[in-house]
Amino acid sequence: MKKVIFYLLENPTEASDSGVLFHEKLACEKIVTAWQSKLRVLVACQDQTQAERIDEYLWQLDTDQFVPHNLVGEGLKGGSPVEICWPEKHSNGSRQLLINLQEQFPNFSNVYNDVIDFVPVNERLKSLARDRYKLYKEAGFNLKTIPVMCQ
């Protein structure tokens, strides 16, 4: 059964003290949890800048939260267990979980059974998330929304 979990952010302060946005930090928490559950993860970023920001944030985590990861095209031939890509540089590796940070619907999502997506506070981004929600539904995914307070 294909499923998407949308994390609905519910506080107007989405900035973070670490330079990453709250939904990016939440995505990194989900990456750590997935890796600790032995899942291979693809993180689909909006652009290379965001991908590098996520990559850098993951390198700064405490050692007990270490996640073997790389930007697409770096590292091992099959990629690390967690691979970070963006539209101009997509991964062909086999993964179990897609974490989508892209504003647009990821057309390659149909190869995943599990997807995590986010509904940021920003109204424009929220509208784009609604569009993705509809497209996931049309693609046959079961959808679940989980509210999250930004802190």
Side-chain angles (χ1 to χ4, degrees):
M1 174 189 319
K2 292 178 171 278
K3 69 179 182 296
V4 179
I5 296 175
F6 270 93
Y7 288 94
L8 174 63
L9 308 186
E10 295 191 328
N11 194 343
T13 60
E14 212 206 330
S16 169
D17 56 358
S18 60
V20 297
L21 298 174
F22 182 81
H23 73 282
E24 294 170 341
K25 187 176 177 183
L26 180 58
C28 289
E29 291 172 13
K30 299 304 172 190
I31 292 166
V32 170
T33 301
W35 159 244
Q36 291 172 343
S37 298
K38 309 273 189 270
L39 295 177
R40 291 178 59 84
V41 181
L42 178 66
V43 184
C45 292
Q46 179 63 23
D47 53 35
Q48 184 173 355
T49 301
Q50 184 183 46
E52 291 169 351
R53 196 166 53 239
I54 298 292
D55 177 54
E56 186 60 33
Y57 185 83
L58 289 172
W59 282 119
Q60 294 175 17
L61 293 175
D62 292 336
T63 54
D64 63 331
Q65 292 186 314
F66 174 75
V67 174
H69 69 281
N70 62 260
L71 295 170
V72 69
E74 295 179 351
L76 306 170
K77 184 177 181 188
S80 293
V82 175
E83 197 162 52
I84 306 165
C85 72
W86 57 96
E88 296 80 19
K89 200 153 186 181
H90 186 65
S91 171
N92 295 325
S94 174
R95 304 273 183 266
Q96 294 137 317
L97 173 65
L98 170 63
I99 296 181
N100 184 48
L101 292 169
Q102 295 180 358
E103 295 176 6
Q104 66 278 9
F105 177 75
N107 291 327
F108 51 89
S109 63
N110 61 339
V111 300
Y112 293 88
N113 286 326
D114 294 297
V115 178
I116 292 176
D117 207 317
F118 302 87
V119 183
V121 175
N122 174 288
E123 284 303 320
R124 183 184 73 81
L125 297 177
K126 193 180 290 189
S127 176
L128 292 168
R130 285 186 194 110
D131 293 341
R132 289 194 308 277
Y133 187 95
K134 291 174 194 168
L135 291 169
Y136 284 123
K137 190 169 186 159
E138 289 173 12
F141 284 89
N142 286 332
L143 302 162
K144 180 177 182 178
T145 303
I146 300 174
V148 177
M149 286 300 251
C150 301
Q151 299 178 16

